[in-house]
Amino acid sequence: MEGKTVLLGLTLHELQALVKDFGMPTFTAKQISQWLYQKQAVSFDDMTNISKANRQILEEHCVIGRMDPIKTLISKDKTEKYLFPTIDGQYVETVMIPDHDRATLCVSCQIGCKMNCLFCQTGKQGFHGNLTPADILNQIMSVNSRLVEDGKTPLTNIVYMGQGEPLDNLDNVMKTLDILTADYGWAWSPKRITVSTCGIKKGLRRFLEESECNLAISLHSPIHEQRESIMPAEKAYSMDAMMKDLTHYFPRNEREVRQRRLSFEYIVFAGFNDSNLHLKELVKLLSPLDCRVNLIRWHRIPDIDMNTSDEKRLETMRDYLTAHGIFTTIRASRGEDIFAACGLLSTAEQR
């Protein structure tokens, strides 16, 4: 692979420039994009409508960039976790969550994470690099191909909620969103894709301007000082400032039907962020927005002395918020037995 161009992750415009350099007809770029993204080819021999001579040129100078996972774990609830190699020889975890006629892939975008949220195992790993567009798309294409080959439901949804902060790798993430939603790529509706963030000011504004994909904000407390104590990102971009930006794009207006959805992720810690005061502050904070809240059970990680709230308290919180006009759900915990649940992904022990 060294010294060769990786095709996976190239846009149609970049493919057109590439084939021009190789002296191929311009339409070859569209053919390559169809093989890469729609037919999900894994070898140049598969690209049968491209001349043998041109396939030979591609073979000499390029690689497709598809790599199978080197390890797979299957949970008792059928959640699957994969360990993928990356272009630069590192490893990253990806999780597929089946649910009746849905199959959701939780995609990683970085190796480790810079954000260092107190409650997240990925942050404890430290930061070891951004994933390339090929690394990100390989997770998606490879898992989808495996599902189809096994006669299972192919992917129906993608969430950028795996390892890393998507808006901290914004150029590469935005490129993959373009490919996934473009006619030349996977041609998916943006409504099937959700990008999660703890909040990076410049990145958030660009994402909201340039993408129609759904947005999920990791909130975890409506109180500035408390959120800052568990999420260092609050220091650089406070939730109050974030809410002002979000209100411009997601104002509460019952007459308007939006294609793009805004949600807030709220991990519930017993005796920390689950009081009646927190509920009142959440209503005050989120009422100006057209949004929903997902309550999440915390999954314990080493050396953090916190506990998740019990089921009854979660239900009380859900009912209170919903009664005050903020649609709220309790997210089902999936894959905890294989360390695939929210906040547990880590490739510190990589193989």
Side-chain angles (χ1 to χ4, degrees):
M1 190 177 294
E2 187 175 350
K4 293 188 175 184
T5 298
V6 180
L7 296 183
L8 193 65
L10 296 185
T11 64
L12 180 59
H13 178 74
E14 289 172 324
L15 289 170
Q16 289 169 340
L18 185 74
V19 301
K20 182 179 180 180
D21 288 344
F22 289 152
M24 301 177 186
T26 302
F27 65 79
T28 310
K30 185 66 177 292
Q31 293 174 320
I32 295 172
S33 71
Q34 289 173 335
W35 284 109
L36 286 175
Y37 304 125
Q38 296 170 13
K39 301 177 183 179
Q40 298 174 49
V42 296
S43 77
F44 293 109
D45 289 338
D46 294 335
M47 302 181 180
T48 51
N49 62 348
I50 298 175
S51 72
K52 188 173 182 180
N54 284 341
R55 275 184 277 156
Q56 182 62 40
I57 293 172
L58 292 172
E59 186 87 50
E60 290 174 4
H61 298 281
C62 306
V63 293
I64 289 178
R66 284 284 299 274
M67 294 180 285
D68 291 328
I70 63 168
K71 186 176 181 181
T72 302
L73 296 175
I74 302 177
S75 167
K76 59 186 178 184
D77 65 21
K78 307 302 182 185
T79 296
E80 299 183 9
K81 184 170 75 169
Y82 312 91
L83 183 66
F84 278 101
T86 68
I87 295 295
D88 65 355
Q90 299 192 75
Y91 298 88
V92 69
E93 291 183 329
T94 311
V95 177
M96 191 282 295
I97 306 164
D99 186 16
H100 302 292
D101 60 346
R102 292 166 60 96
T104 299
L105 191 67
C106 185
V107 177
S108 293
C109 61
Q110 292 181 316
I111 304 163
C113 185
K114 298 177 186 175
M115 300 300 109
N116 197 28
C117 296
L118 178 69
F119 47 82
C120 180
Q121 185 63 41
T122 305
K124 308 306 176 190
Q125 179 184 340
F127 177 71
H128 300 281
N130 287 324
L131 296 187
T132 66
D135 291 325
I136 297 170
L137 290 173
N138 180 60
Q139 298 169 62
I140 298 166
M141 304 294 178
S142 294
V143 172
N144 191 68
S145 294
R146 288 166 65 95
L147 293 174
V148 172
E149 289 170 5
D150 293 343
K152 299 178 181 178
T153 300
L155 295 179
T156 60
N157 299 84
I158 297 169
V159 293
Y160 284 67
M161 295 183 182
Q163 291 175 251
E165 163 56 58
L167 301 192
D168 190 45
N169 186 16
L170 188 58
D171 286 342
N172 291 341
V173 166
M174 291 296 289
K175 196 173 182 184
T176 63
L177 297 178
D178 179 19
I179 291 168
L180 290 170
T181 57
D183 289 341
Y184 70 83
W186 246 22
W188 265 29
S189 166
K191 293 186 292 183
R192 300 170 66 180
I193 304 170
T194 299
V195 175
S196 176
T197 180
C198 65
I200 294 179
K201 189 171 187 176
K202 185 177 179 180
L204 181 62
R205 289 179 176 176
R206 180 182 163 195
F207 170 79
L208 290 170
E209 288 289 342
E210 298 180 16
S211 175
E212 288 298 321
C213 293
N214 299 322
L215 175 66
I217 302 289
S218 297
L219 185 59
H220 313 315
S221 176
I223 300 170
H224 167 73
E225 293 80 9
Q226 191 177 58
R227 187 173 190 260
E228 186 179 295
S229 73
I230 60 173
M231 300 180 68
E234 172 73 9
K235 297 176 184 178
Y237 188 28
S238 73
M239 59 183 174
D240 288 336
M242 193 190 315
M243 297 306 153
K244 291 178 183 177
D245 289 340
L246 292 173
T247 303
H248 176 72
Y249 296 92
F250 302 96
R252 183 176 291 273
N253 184 342
E254 294 180 359
R255 292 171 297 179
E256 183 177 350
V257 178
R258 290 181 180 81
Q259 297 299 311
R260 179 165 59 182
R261 190 168 71 192
L262 171 65
S263 59
F264 288 89
E265 312 294 293
Y266 196 91
I267 297 176
V268 187
F269 303 101
F272 180 78
N273 64 351
D274 63 346
S275 71
N276 291 341
L277 172 62
H278 289 93
L279 291 173
K280 291 176 182 178
E281 290 297 318
L282 277 170
V283 171
K284 186 189 304 184
L285 185 71
L286 302 182
S287 287
L289 297 170
D290 180 12
C291 66
R292 62 178 59 197
V293 170
N294 295 317
L295 300 177
I296 303 171
R297 299 168 184 83
W298 184 59
H299 303 101
R300 181 176 291 280
I301 63 174
D303 304 321
I304 302 299
D305 187 21
M306 301 179 85
N307 295 293
T308 194
S309 297
D310 61 30
E311 192 69 21
K312 184 176 180 181
R313 186 57 187 165
L314 288 170
E315 292 172 357
T316 298
M317 294 177 70
R318 176 198 62 196
D319 295 345
Y320 180 94
L321 293 171
T322 299
H324 285 77
I326 301 171
F327 180 71
T328 302
T329 62
I330 300 171
R331 179 181 293 171
S333 182
R334 301 289 301 272
E336 188 171 4
D337 57 319
I338 58 170
F339 299 96
C342 181
L344 296 183
L345 296 188
S346 173
T347 48
E349 297 179 16
Q350 295 190 339
R351 287 167 291 214

